[in-house]
Amino acid sequence: MKDIRVLIIDDEEVIREGVQRALRGRGYNVAKAENGEKGIEMLQEDDYKIVLLDLMMPGIDGFGVLEWIKENRPAIEVVVITGFATVSKAVSAMKQGAFDFVGKPFTPDYIRIVVGRATERIQLEEEAKRLREEHSLSLTAIENEQSRLKTVFGCMVEAVVITDKQSIVVHHNPAAIKILEIQTDPFIGKLFSHSILDDSASSMVQQAMEKSVVVTRDFPPGAISRKYLRAHCAPVTAENGKVIGSVTVFEDISTHKEIDRMKSDFVAMVAHELKSPLASIEQMIYALQVGCKYEAEQACNKMHTRMTIRTKDLLQMIDNLLNLSKMESGTVEFQLEPVRGHEILDTILDIISHQTESRQIELSYEPCEEDWIFNVDYDHIRTAFMNIISNAVKYTPDGGKVTISTNVKGGFVNLVVKDSGIGISQDDLPHIFDRFFRVKGKATRHITGSGLGLSLVKEVVEAHQGYIDVQSELEKGTTFTLSFPILMNTTDSPEALDSAAVKT
Ligand code: ADP
């Protein structure tokens, strides 16, 4: 340990020397000042722990120095020395804050005892200060930790419910009320089973505490709330290893379950969609192999055509799937170029008219007079138009009507596809652009599809700064309107026609 610094302020040299001798070699570093002024000067310069102070000195006397010390160096312990010691002077010095007093003459032993007591007091005070600081640091650390935990607890999207050993709820986070749809007010202070009525939830908490293990359980919608929940219940143990309660975390896994279901539906649907045309192509190949020799050439040609159509349908579906996944991952690059609108529609109508003819659907095309050009990715736009028009045919019963018209208004071209088909209910209408959504019902049961066409159309239309509108009435029909900004109306600028891309 470092020597304790002691300052003796006394005008009598013999006293100064005497004190120095008494304390020498006992762990003190003693300095001397012959009057009050010098003493204060030395106190300002160095860090002393104990001051032995003569009360009666010329110039600034002991009381003056004591006052200065208490004001400027309150941690210093002052022991007053006076040759004319009267108890009253010593008492008033102590009232002013002196720690102790020594009367002259004094023995070296006595000085050592008094200074030793002052040293002990300093050390005790330093220890108390250290403990106070440590205590306040750990209090701050606990408060910070609590505030961190409180924030984590409050921000958690999962529901957390804490119980005591008797399964009484002692704490929960705000998400618990929402996710578990708790009606009980208050939730805290009541049995877990009072607010969460499912028996298997209560037994999960019991089991976790009794067996001291983490128990995980799934709760389908309706068990605890309208959501699909997964709960993990863990016992809480005290230092001695005894179980003192439980913590249960409930996560809402409805979305995962829905995605799982959609994935399974999708795999089943894709398998079905791929299998049935492939099976009929296979049959036709077989029929051609074994029977072509005997069949009339016309019948063989018919089969070839049907096979080609089936194969094209398959390719179309696979294209839709690939395009959608590319658009979702943002890897599609649209190759924009000026395209003549009528041109694109003519190629589609050419294909579609075969289908409408075979099903006695009346197909009418009412193009606007202007020949318009728009800046688009030819292949993607063609796929989008094809999806809308083939849907109109697909969802219109035999003998119905499909009308395709265009008009140019306010810098936009509108492609209007109207059918007299099965229509879409107002409940289903908001979902038809969702991926994999298909209206379920008697009217659509035998119509095949992937539920991807319209989501792809929407992505393509929006990527071309266009918009899409749909009006529908159940059993009356549906009208889709696709609008795109046009580059130019070629009635105003006929030469633009020549530079526009024409594809066949
Ligand atoms: P799908 O491959 O099933 O046709 P889409 O994404 O193209 O998928 O369409 C989604 C759903 O919207 C269809 O399953 C169908 O129920 C409905 N739908 C789309 N177009 C029409 C329409 N013209 N008439 C009636 N229902 C339609």
Side-chain angles (χ1 to χ4, degrees):
M1 203 176 81
K2 256 174 73 184
D3 284 353
I4 291 175
R5 304 202 67 180
V6 178
L7 177 65
I8 310 157
I9 309 173
D10 200 311
D11 57 341
E12 285 180 66
E13 194 183 351
V14 56
I15 298 287
R16 296 197 299 268
E17 295 297 328
V19 172
Q20 192 171 37
R21 258 198 314 279
L23 298 179
R24 183 171 296 148
R26 301 196 179 245
Y28 299 100
N29 176 351
V30 183
K32 295 172 286 184
E34 61 276 17
N35 55 42
E37 289 81 355
K38 176 77 179 155
I40 289 175
E41 202 184 301
M42 289 174 73
L43 285 168
Q44 280 170 325
E45 279 166 14
D46 282 312
D47 189 21
Y48 294 95
K49 298 274 185 207
I50 300 170
V51 169
L52 289 151
L53 178 64
D54 186 12
L55 280 183
M56 306 299 283
M57 287 184 291
I60 302 180
D61 69 357
F63 286 101
V65 178
L66 181 59
E67 200 182 324
W68 186 92
I69 291 176
K70 287 296 142 194
E71 223 174 279
N72 299 287
R73 302 284 188 274
I76 293 178
E77 294 299 350
V78 179
V79 176
V80 293
I81 310 170
T82 177
F84 307 97
T86 61
V87 174
S88 68
K89 277 222 159 85
V91 168
S92 50
M94 299 213 12
K95 272 188 188 157
Q96 252 186 271
F99 166 66
D100 207 346
F101 75 97
V102 193
K104 292 180 196 172
F106 47 77
T107 63
D109 273 348
Y110 191 66
I111 273 291
R112 283 196 285 271
I113 288 169
V114 174
V115 173
R117 277 208 301 260
T119 307
E120 254 170 43
R121 169 145 166 180
I122 286 166
Q123 283 166 346
L124 279 177
E125 261 175 14
E126 280 178 355
E127 183 61 11
K129 190 177 162 213
R130 194 186 59 74
L131 286 174
R132 268 199 307 273
E133 278 170 5
E134 246 176 35
H135 182 234
S136 111
L137 272 180
S138 35
L139 271 185
T140 317
I142 290 170
E143 273 165 19
N144 288 347
E145 197 54 35
Q146 273 181 343
S147 136
R148 267 184 226 119
L149 283 176
K150 208 172 152 198
T151 312
V152 171
F153 204 49
C155 290
M156 276 177 79
V157 284
E158 290 86 5
V160 183
V161 180
I162 304 174
T163 72
D164 65 10
K165 205 172 171 236
Q166 278 71 42
S167 291
I168 289 172
V169 176
V170 289
H171 214 32
H172 67 83
N173 66 347
I177 300 288
K178 207 171 134 219
I179 292 181
L180 306 174
E181 294 169 4
I182 298 291
Q183 308 289 336
T184 332
D185 186 25
F187 182 22
I188 291 178
K190 303 227 167 76
L191 275 171
F192 181 88
S193 57
H194 184 90
S195 311
I196 299 173
L197 301 174
D198 187 83
D199 286 346
S200 103
S202 315
S203 77
M204 166 186 72
V205 175
Q206 286 299 328
Q207 200 184 333
M209 291 197 287
E210 276 163 19
K211 299 196 173 154
S212 197
V213 287
V214 176
V215 183
T216 299
R217 224 163 257 186
D218 280 3
F219 297 93
I224 292 181
S225 75
R226 281 165 295 178
K227 302 172 182 78
Y228 210 118
L229 302 177
R230 175 162 298 160
H232 309 273
C233 181
V236 180
T237 45
E239 293 245 307
N240 59 10
K242 278 201 174 151
V243 174
I244 53 166
S246 71
V247 173
T248 314
V249 178
F250 294 88
E251 51 174 328
D252 179 359
I253 54 165
S254 313
T255 320
H256 302 310
K257 286 281 171 191
E258 179 62 9
I259 291 171
D260 273 357
R261 193 193 55 75
M262 280 166 72
K263 262 199 242 161
S264 319
D265 283 1
F266 177 64
V267 170
M269 186 272 303
V270 170
H272 174 79
E273 293 299 314
L274 292 177
K275 203 178 154 195
S276 49
L278 278 174
S280 78
I281 292 169
E282 192 195 22
Q283 274 174 10
M284 286 186 265
I285 292 172
Y286 177 72
L288 283 174
Q289 272 172 348
V290 297
C292 215
K293 285 186 252 169
Y294 314 105
E295 296 277 348
E297 197 184 330
Q298 217 182 353
C300 285
N301 284 347
K302 224 173 166 182
M303 264 194 231
H304 271 131
T305 316
R306 284 210 333 254
M307 281 164 63
T308 315
I309 292 173
R310 287 300 224 168
T311 315
K312 273 192 180 150
D313 278 355
L314 272 178
L315 288 174
Q316 172 73 39
M317 180 184 158
I318 293 166
D319 270 355
N320 277 353
L321 273 174
L322 292 177
N323 280 334
L324 206 62
S325 84
K326 272 197 215 154
M327 281 182 200
E328 268 179 350
S329 62
T331 53
V332 171
E333 272 185 31
F334 289 98
Q335 310 286 339
L336 299 185
E337 57 183 335
V339 171
R340 292 168 61 161
H342 288 157
E343 191 71 38
I344 228 169
L345 284 169
D346 286 345
T347 62
I348 293 172
L349 287 168
D350 203 31
I351 299 168
I352 285 292
S353 59
H354 293 294
Q355 295 174 26
T356 48
E357 268 165 33
S358 66
R359 294 184 42 217
Q360 293 87 48
I361 290 176
E362 183 190 332
L363 175 68
S364 65
Y365 179 40
E366 298 162 7
C368 60
E369 281 179 9
E370 304 94 321
D371 205 352
W372 43 275
I373 295 175
F374 59 166
N375 201 30
V376 292
D377 181 300
Y378 185 92
D379 292 331
H380 280 110
I381 283 289
R382 189 176 173 282
T383 310
F385 283 9
M386 188 67 175
N387 277 339
I388 291 288
I389 295 170
S390 61
N391 269 357
V393 176
K394 196 160 77 167
Y395 294 105
T396 297
D398 293 1
K401 187 171 179 193
V402 171
T403 310
I404 298 162
S405 60
T406 56
N407 62 70
V408 172
K409 249 187 232 157
F412 275 80
V413 62
N414 302 307
L415 166 70
V416 185
V417 180
K418 185 172 184 321
D419 65 59
S420 65
I422 59 170
I424 305 165
S425 74
Q426 295 306 305
D427 285 348
D428 289 325
L429 216 48
H431 306 291
I432 57 169
F433 296 101
D434 296 349
R435 281 156 184 68
F436 310 121
F437 179 83
R438 304 205 67 220
V439 173
K440 290 190 182 77
K442 230 164 65 190
T444 52
R445 192 170 301 149
H446 300 294
I447 305 174
T448 57
S450 60
L452 291 174
L454 287 182
S455 34
L456 189 82
V457 172
K458 192 161 182 275
E459 296 269 358
V460 172
V461 170
E462 284 171 1
H464 287 87
Q465 281 73 52
Y467 50 92
I468 187 163
D469 176 67
V470 53
Q471 307 288 330
S472 190
E473 205 179 325
L474 213 52
E475 290 171 16
K476 290 265 165 57
T478 306
T479 304
F480 278 93
T481 307
L482 270 54
S483 307
F484 297 92
I486 47 169
L487 254 193
M488 60 195 75
N489 179 335
T490 52
T491 321
D492 305 335
S493 168
E495 65 283 0
L497 269 178
D498 303 331
S499 56
V502 178
K503 300 205 178 182
T504 50

